[in-house]
Amino acid sequence: MALPYELVLGWRYTRAGRATRRNGFISFISGVSMLGIALGVAALIIVLSVMNGFQKEVRDRMLGVVSHIEVYGPGGGMLPDVNRTLEEVRRNPEVVGAAPFITTQSLIARGEDMRGAIVRGIEPALEPQVTDLAAAGKGTLDKLVAGQFNIVLGAELARAMGVRTGDAVTLIAPGGQVTPAGVVPRLKQMTVVGTFDSGHFEYDSGLVLVHVDDAARIFRLEGPTGVRLKLRDLNRAREVGAELATTLSGDFLVRDWTRQNRTWFSAVQLEKRMMFIILTLIVAVAAFNLVSTLVMTVTDKRADIAILRTLGASPGSIMGIFVVQGAAVGVIGTLAGLLFGLAIATNIDVLVPALEQMLNASFLPKDIYLISRMPSEPQSSDIMPVAIISLVLSFAATLYPSWRASRVNPAEALRYE
């Protein structure tokens, strides 16, 4: 079956030979337009994939330390009946783990070095049900025995304070004791029995773990202040939290991980949208370079257009020839950009370390960014819109030059030929 002559001629014009200097220049401009579209599409895919990977990596590491849902006692105080609360939350079919906890801010001191930290009192036997800290701590949580006042530090905090396993640190509790000499802070010497490395700098540098019973004695509490939950599906945290708020018997404060870190995730989503818009403009600029390419082609092919018109070609057929030419550039550029972008995005974990080694530089310092490696996660929900937008812009750029080609007057075009 023979192909339509519009398709054949449009494809031939795309591959314009270099018989003349003018044809060669037009072919060069067409290649530049194609390259611009490819680079714009590739940049969009790479950036969006990195941002997806960054969000997923931080979320997973964050949820390795933070539970999916936290239930606090009335007014932020102690739970009236922790066993009853644990029983009630476990009735929900979405809850796969629950553990009591105490959390407060305090100071950790060793000699003259003093650091602020969040002290979390946990039940070592139940903690693996709600977070991955047991795996991050490599068995050290089992050393948190009630009454021994042991403590586990984040790896970055221990490194900053120069603390090793077996060293003693002083925990300074807020709200000191009132004595005739004034208010004296409550101090308790703790023994470091290990460290944990969650891969999240914020928590590794500012979180310490103690046994929940030791925390209650140090902070003068009669029991846990909340319960931490793990769900089957973390994406249903908000829905399950709202359900628990209505089913629990008591005036409890229920917070899920999406609300606790809402500002951070909202900022990432906003940045992702802005980057998408900005990089789409790059694709638009490259796509509309096709306008100049096609205008030059139409000018160069006026005699050919006139001959085709005298042979019976309709204005629609002439328009179709140049639409095919511009569309071919857009399709090839988009496909090349997709392949190149996906190749970079799927191998960025290898390319970035190689560049860092070559340039002797670190692109993601741990003390600035939340993670220390460049993640990437290409998603079809991002790739498909990028490809569609690129193709639409390319097709749109062909319309005006193609319409102008269809309006060429054969007699006038052949007058000086």
Side-chain angles (χ1 to χ4, degrees):
M1 182 178 178
L3 293 174
Y5 72 89
E6 295 92 346
L7 184 62
V8 174
L9 288 177
W11 177 245
R12 181 177 297 177
Y13 286 169
T14 303
R15 302 181 298 109
R18 301 181 181 275
T20 66
R21 183 176 301 176
R22 184 179 181 84
N23 284 339
F25 181 69
I26 294 174
S27 180
F28 173 75
I29 296 297
S30 179
V32 169
S33 301
M34 190 182 301
L35 180 62
I37 294 172
L39 291 178
V41 170
L44 257 173
I45 291 175
I46 294 170
V47 170
L48 294 179
S49 299
V50 168
M51 295 194 72
N52 290 333
F54 179 79
Q55 184 175 1
K56 182 179 183 297
E57 188 79 14
V58 173
R59 184 195 66 191
D60 291 347
R61 294 191 181 190
M62 188 181 295
L63 292 178
V65 182
V66 178
S67 55
H68 296 167
I69 293 179
E70 293 181 352
V71 179
Y72 292 90
M78 295 178 300
L79 295 174
D81 189 343
V82 62
N83 292 325
R84 180 180 178 181
T85 303
L86 286 171
E87 182 181 353
E88 289 180 347
V89 297
R90 285 170 177 160
R91 291 174 187 169
N92 192 299
E94 287 294 322
V95 177
V96 296
F101 76 101
I102 293 174
T103 184
T104 186
Q105 292 186 347
S106 185
L107 293 175
I108 306 296
R110 182 174 184 266
E112 296 182 357
D113 193 3
M114 188 175 299
R115 306 273 175 157
I118 296 176
V119 180
R120 180 185 295 170
I122 64 171
E123 180 64 55
L126 299 178
E127 187 65 17
Q129 296 182 13
V130 293
T131 65
D132 298 329
L133 277 179
K138 299 179 181 178
T140 57
L141 299 188
D142 296 333
K143 300 177 183 178
L144 297 177
V145 181
Q148 295 186 5
F149 294 98
N150 295 331
I151 190 170
V152 175
L153 306 181
E156 293 295 334
L157 178 62
R159 189 176 298 112
M161 298 184 68
V163 175
R164 298 182 179 180
T165 301
D167 292 344
V169 296
T170 302
L171 192 151
I172 305 173
Q177 298 174 320
V178 179
T179 66
V183 179
V184 178
R186 295 197 308 275
L187 309 178
K188 183 62 182 178
Q189 191 173 47
M190 312 286 288
T191 302
V192 178
V193 293
T195 62
F196 67 86
D197 186 359
S198 67
H200 197 295
F201 182 81
E202 179 181 355
Y203 293 107
D204 291 341
S205 62
L207 178 65
V208 299
L209 306 174
V210 299
H211 196 281
V212 65
D213 294 340
D214 293 345
R217 293 179 60 183
I218 294 171
F219 301 114
R220 295 184 175 179
L221 300 171
E222 297 181 3
T225 58
V227 171
R228 310 171 71 224
L229 310 177
K230 185 175 183 178
L231 308 180
R232 297 182 189 277
D233 184 2
L234 61 89
N235 295 314
R236 298 191 60 194
R238 183 168 297 188
E239 176 186 343
V240 176
E243 183 179 341
L244 289 174
T246 59
T247 57
L248 293 177
S249 56
D251 185 18
F252 296 102
L253 173 63
V254 181
R255 296 198 307 174
D256 61 85
W257 68 272
T258 62
R259 297 183 187 276
Q260 290 176 324
N261 305 280
R262 180 173 53 187
T263 302
W264 186 86
F265 284 104
S266 297
V268 172
Q269 287 297 326
L270 178 61
E271 185 177 356
K272 182 179 176 181
R273 293 191 192 100
M274 294 305 299
M275 292 300 295
F276 183 87
I277 294 173
I278 293 171
L279 293 176
T280 300
L281 294 178
I282 298 177
V283 179
V285 170
F288 280 98
N289 279 340
L290 287 174
V291 175
S292 60
T293 302
L294 292 178
V295 167
M296 295 177 64
T297 304
V298 169
T299 303
D300 186 59
K301 302 296 184 181
R302 284 173 61 88
D304 294 353
I305 296 170
I307 293 172
L308 288 172
R309 289 297 308 277
T310 57
L311 292 176
S314 66
S317 296
I318 299 299
M319 186 173 180
I321 292 172
F322 292 96
V323 168
V324 168
Q325 180 186 357
V329 173
V331 170
I332 295 173
T334 300
L335 292 178
L338 287 173
L339 294 176
F340 181 67
L342 288 174
I344 297 294
T346 53
N347 294 282
I348 203 165
D349 55 338
V350 177
L351 296 175
V352 171
L355 286 175
E356 289 180 336
Q357 185 176 3
M358 184 185 304
L359 301 175
N360 194 24
S362 177
F363 296 157
L364 293 172
K366 292 180 66 175
D367 56 343
I368 298 177
Y369 297 95
L370 300 177
I371 57 178
S372 57
R373 69 179 186 87
M374 187 77 75
S376 177
E377 186 186 11
Q379 295 182 357
S380 58
S381 58
D382 292 326
I383 296 172
M384 291 302 295
V386 169
I388 292 172
I389 289 174
S390 176
L391 293 175
V392 168
L393 290 175
S394 299
F395 279 108
T398 65
L399 295 180
Y400 176 74
S402 302
W403 177 79
R404 288 295 302 270
S406 69
R407 305 293 293 178
V408 171
N409 188 328
E412 186 174 331
L414 293 174
R415 180 177 300 173
Y416 301 104
E417 293 295 331

